[in-house]
Amino acid sequence: MVTNRISFRVKELTKAAVNGLALVFCCAFLGAFPVNAQSDEMNENDPRRAFTLLEQEPRQQLPLENDRFRIDYEVDEIILVFFRLPDTAPVVLTRPDGSKWYASRHPQGEVTWHSGHDFDMIRIREPMPGPWQATGMIRPNSRAMVYTDVQLHPEDFPELVFVGERLRLEGHLTENGEPVSQLDFRSAIKLEIKMQSTNNPNYDNFGQPPLPVGEFLDDGRGMDAVPRDGTFTGQFELDIASGEYIPTFYVETPLHRRVVEGDVMMVRQVPVRPRMEVSDEEGEPHRMFFTVDEEYVRLDDIVVSGRVDFPNGETENIALSTRQGDELYAEIPSYTFGVFEVVMRLSATDVNGREFQLNIPPFDFRAQPPAPPGPTAAEIAAAEAAEQERIHQQELAEIEAERQKVQNRIILVVGINLGIVALWSIYILIRPSASKRKLKAAKKKKKKKDKKGAEDEMTEL
């Protein structure tokens, strides 16, 4: 297992590789410390004075005298941190030429300035040599700081890690290999960890984006034992899918952000998993069994605790301990029906002897009321006989309906034919004979002829 480190490499602070760091301390804050007689005899720009300052504690944290400090011509870049009274205005920097820089007005290309509610962090590239002054509500015990190499040293992750597990890891900050002792400086640093999937298609976390799982804190809360003691404690809830991950550590200050990836690790599925057998008979309890991955956990040291929420609002606790002789089995009463919700927590020991705790994923199940008893054989036989009789009667009714339809059709045809015969007979009876028609026509013709002859006679007269 390789210890993860996160380093802030700000830059080379001086042109000399060997004593450049020392020169920054000297040149940035010349006169900040009262020094011994030998130091007083030295020239302010004498590099030996820097090494004298290096021997003083705390390193890289120099007290201000009347909020003044001096920057030497050797300095290429400097980072200053001033701690103020909470919620006061940012400091004002006065340069050697008398010009002023504010948090809201400063050369953007040369200066990076971040103001928190109780501190200012300022990075200056190629600062003007000479005496500088910081004006503001700076705390009496405040120190202007120059830092170069900040590293986080977290603990290694356990060899076996499981989904839902709550992990506690500690980490320490060092600056140039020494613990960071400035309390206010630690409060300006944010330490966070994210789990990044390796995107292996063989695991459940394939395609999952990076997930934040926790922070390293030094506030004395949660699992952190002592506030602001230099030990940062991380508390991580691995509420993530199982699979391969790369733990990624983020260290952030107002001016810098660095990311370092740890070794690939496997987050395994919950090693003790419940399985329900829902009863379908009234009065018979529901049964809960557990599947154990004995490859990863010890069967003789498993504790399962939790509760069951019944559909009617009642609850029942679950408490099983294999070390005390309990079997991994529980019964849940079935006197009510509906949705049961189960929430449980696992405490166990893995095969490497590490004790751990995790949340078993909550689940629910539905209990249905038992189905009514079915009909007896006699009832089934009677029902079948009744159905056959119904089908037989339906067939008879269909035959009778068809017979009645044919009979009605015959009656209709006979009736129509009889009507036609009757009408023809009547026509025959009332129609006059041919001789009568001829006699009538002859009489009519003779009458017409006689009438014409009478008219001709009258014409002659």
Side-chain angles (χ1 to χ4, degrees):
M1 303 293 289
V2 180
T3 302
N4 298 300
R5 285 192 171 188
I6 298 174
S7 300
F8 286 84
R9 300 284 183 185
V10 177
K11 74 179 300 262
E12 295 180 358
L13 296 179
T14 66
K15 296 178 181 178
V18 177
N19 58 3
L21 179 60
L23 285 175
V24 171
F25 300 157
C26 172
C27 299
F29 303 102
L30 190 60
F33 274 117
V35 297
N36 54 30
Q38 181 182 359
S39 299
D40 291 337
E41 295 175 357
M42 295 180 183
N43 184 277
E44 289 184 347
N45 294 329
D46 192 333
R48 290 176 298 170
R49 178 178 173 85
F51 289 100
T52 302
L53 290 177
L54 273 176
E55 297 174 356
Q56 302 182 33
E57 294 293 341
R59 296 182 181 180
Q60 300 196 61
Q61 301 177 13
L62 305 180
L64 299 173
E65 289 187 354
N66 298 323
D67 300 338
R68 295 177 183 274
F69 56 95
R70 183 179 182 85
I71 296 180
D72 186 73
Y73 69 91
E74 296 282 350
V75 176
D76 292 333
E77 179 174 308
I78 190 169
I79 298 178
L80 305 173
V81 180
F82 299 97
F83 299 102
R84 299 179 275 101
L85 296 179
D87 300 319
T88 57
V91 301
V92 178
L93 283 182
T94 303
R95 302 201 304 163
D97 63 358
S99 61
K100 298 178 181 60
W101 285 350
Y102 301 87
S104 58
R105 192 193 71 190
H106 54 266
Q108 298 298 322
E110 304 174 17
V111 181
T112 303
W113 192 317
H114 179 86
S115 292
H117 81 287
D118 62 352
F119 71 93
D120 290 278
M121 184 175 288
I122 308 164
R123 179 171 61 187
I124 306 173
R125 297 178 179 86
E126 299 182 357
M128 178 182 292
W132 290 62
Q133 181 176 357
T135 304
M137 301 298 292
I138 300 175
R139 281 180 267 175
N141 60 345
S142 180
R143 298 171 185 262
M145 297 174 12
V146 179
Y147 67 89
T148 57
D149 187 5
V150 177
Q151 296 179 332
L152 170 67
H153 307 268
E155 290 182 280
D156 294 334
F157 276 92
E159 184 177 350
L160 292 174
V161 179
F162 304 99
V163 171
E165 184 175 352
R166 177 180 296 176
L167 289 176
R168 179 184 183 275
L169 298 179
E170 289 185 354
H172 298 83
L173 283 178
T174 61
E175 183 180 11
N176 290 332
E178 297 292 335
V180 175
S181 57
Q182 173 55 261
L183 302 182
D184 296 301
F185 178 55
R186 291 200 299 267
S187 67
I189 296 178
K190 180 180 180 181
L191 309 177
E192 186 181 22
I193 181 172
K194 294 184 179 180
M195 302 298 286
Q196 181 173 334
S197 171
T198 61
N199 283 330
N200 188 329
N202 297 321
Y203 297 110
D204 295 338
N205 64 343
F206 176 68
Q208 179 176 278
L211 296 176
V213 295
E215 294 180 302
F216 284 93
L217 301 174
D218 187 18
D219 57 2
R221 300 178 181 178
M223 291 188 175
D224 187 62
V226 180
R228 307 179 76 180
D229 64 345
T231 299
F232 288 78
T233 305
Q235 177 177 324
F236 315 128
E237 196 84 31
L238 297 181
D239 187 15
I240 56 180
S242 61
E244 285 182 341
Y245 287 92
I246 299 174
T248 306
F249 296 88
Y250 295 78
V251 178
E252 183 176 358
T253 73
L255 299 181
H256 297 87
R257 182 177 178 85
R258 296 293 185 270
V259 178
V260 171
E261 295 180 347
D263 295 332
V264 175
M265 59 181 293
M266 174 66 74
V267 179
R268 306 181 186 278
Q269 65 176 339
V270 178
V272 179
R273 298 178 296 279
R275 175 175 57 87
M276 288 299 305
E277 287 188 0
V278 181
S279 173
D280 56 1
E281 296 183 12
E282 188 173 4
E284 288 292 326
H286 311 296
R287 295 174 174 84
M288 183 188 300
F289 302 89
F290 291 85
T291 302
V292 180
D293 292 334
E294 297 186 50
E295 179 183 357
Y296 305 122
V297 296
R298 295 179 179 177
L299 185 59
D300 62 348
D301 193 11
I302 295 176
V303 176
V304 177
S305 59
R307 74 174 191 277
V308 180
D309 295 333
F310 288 72
N312 60 359
E314 298 181 6
T315 62
E316 181 171 300
N317 292 330
I318 298 174
L320 304 173
S321 174
T322 57
R323 184 171 290 276
Q324 295 178 343
D326 294 338
E327 296 183 4
L328 291 177
Y329 167 79
E331 292 186 348
I332 301 174
S334 61
Y335 57 83
T336 185
F337 306 106
V339 177
F340 292 70
E341 297 181 352
V342 184
V343 179
M344 293 183 295
R345 184 164 182 80
L346 171 67
S347 299
T349 303
D350 67 18
V351 293
N352 298 322
R354 182 180 71 93
E355 294 185 283
F356 65 91
Q357 293 184 342
L358 58 80
N359 292 321
I360 297 176
F363 66 95
D364 57 56
F365 65 91
R366 179 180 293 274
Q368 302 285 0
T376 63
E379 292 173 340
I380 294 175
E384 291 178 352
E387 179 66 14
Q388 292 177 358
E389 179 63 22
R390 184 190 68 79
I391 295 173
H392 177 66
Q393 292 298 328
Q394 183 177 353
E395 292 175 350
L396 292 178
E398 292 175 355
I399 293 173
E400 182 63 26
E402 185 66 23
R403 181 184 301 166
Q404 186 66 35
K405 187 184 298 184
V406 171
Q407 183 177 354
N408 293 338
R409 189 179 297 115
I410 294 173
I411 293 175
L412 178 61
V413 171
V414 171
I416 292 173
N417 291 334
L418 291 176
I420 293 173
V421 171
L423 291 176
W424 180 255
S425 299
I426 294 173
Y427 173 74
I428 294 298
L429 292 175
I430 63 175
R431 186 183 66 173
S433 63
S435 58
K436 288 182 178 180
R437 288 196 303 274
K438 291 179 179 180
L439 179 60
K440 185 176 180 181
K443 288 182 177 181
K444 186 176 180 181
K445 185 177 180 181
K446 183 178 183 303
K447 185 177 179 180
K448 186 176 179 180
K449 185 178 179 181
D450 292 342
K451 183 176 179 181
K452 185 177 181 183
E455 291 177 352
D456 292 341
E457 290 179 358
M458 288 295 297
T459 302
E460 292 176 0
L461 292 179

